[in-house]
Amino acid sequence: MTKFIVILLSAVFINNYVLSRFLGICPFLGVSKKLDSATGMSLAVIFVMLMATAATWPIQYYLLNPNDLGYLQTIVFILVIAALVQLVEIVLKRYVPSLHKSLGVYLPLITTNCAVLGVTILNIDENYTFLEAMVNSLGSGLGFFLAMVMFSGVRSKIEGADIPESFKGLPVTLIAASITSLSFLGFGGVVENMFPV
């Protein structure tokens, strides 16, 4: 049980895919302007991460590895993720059209979101069991959610700030993102010290 807590908290705070590993930057910068869009995108990413892990872990261990097809991992994982994103898009378009419209082009971009692909591949590289991989995916999704919501708040404060003309737009956004990512450096080692495995 302790190992699951360490995996979960490490994925959320220490090895945050957006702020520590710099994966998933495109939706992080593109969809974080409004809290509702950031929340909707994060929930979709959490769902896709969990479903992608639930599908790719067995494919890796029961299909690719036994047949010496490990070199097809990236291609197969991308196809699985693309199919899951299409499923999410169809469901959102049918049942939550306002969220589907607000996410716009960023929803199909989950297919190419390297955080989703990264979590599925790193689950295999870390030799996680199925349950450990699912906990890591949940933690990674929650970390993505935390980063998106935090940065959405930061960006709302930036909107009303008096910023020099040369820093307006993307420059101040990137500076704010780097400062936000620095705030997560303080968590290094805390989880391992609290819950020794």
Side-chain angles (χ1 to χ4, degrees), residues 32-186:
S32 60
K33 286 183 181 178
K34 295 181 181 175
L35 181 61
D36 57 343
S37 298
T39 303
M41 175 62 129
S42 299
L43 294 176
V45 166
I46 291 170
F47 176 76
V48 171
M49 278 186 177
L50 286 169
M51 297 311 296
T53 297
T56 56
W57 193 93
I59 288 172
Q60 180 72 37
Y61 285 104
Y62 297 118
L63 180 66
L64 298 180
N65 286 353
N67 297 309
D68 292 326
L69 297 172
Y71 60 90
L72 293 175
Q73 180 189 60
T74 304
I75 295 169
V76 171
F77 285 15
I78 287 173
L79 290 174
V80 169
I81 292 166
L84 289 169
V85 170
Q86 288 303 311
L87 175 69
V88 169
E89 187 170 14
I90 289 168
V91 168
L92 285 181
K93 190 173 188 178
R94 171 118 173 123
Y95 296 108
V96 194
S98 60
L99 179 58
H100 180 266
K101 187 177 179 183
S102 71
L103 292 176
V105 72
Y106 294 103
L107 184 58
L109 283 177
I110 295 176
T111 303
T112 58
N113 186 343
C114 52
V116 177
L117 180 61
V119 76
T120 57
I121 291 175
L122 288 171
N123 283 334
I124 304 300
D125 290 348
E126 295 288 331
N127 292 319
Y128 285 145
T129 64
F130 181 75
L131 286 176
E132 290 170 349
M134 291 300 291
V135 169
N136 184 53
S137 296
L138 176 63
S140 301
L142 292 173
F144 186 86
F145 177 81
L146 178 65
M148 290 286 283
V149 169
M150 276 180 50
F151 198 57
S152 176
V154 169
R155 287 187 80 171
S156 69
K157 293 291 185 187
I158 290 173
E159 295 282 326
D162 184 26
I163 300 167
E165 192 63 37
S166 60
F167 282 102
K168 286 187 178 176
L170 187 60
V172 74
T173 303
L174 293 175
I175 291 168
S178 65
I179 293 170
T180 304
S181 69
L182 284 174
S183 66
F184 276 67
L185 284 176

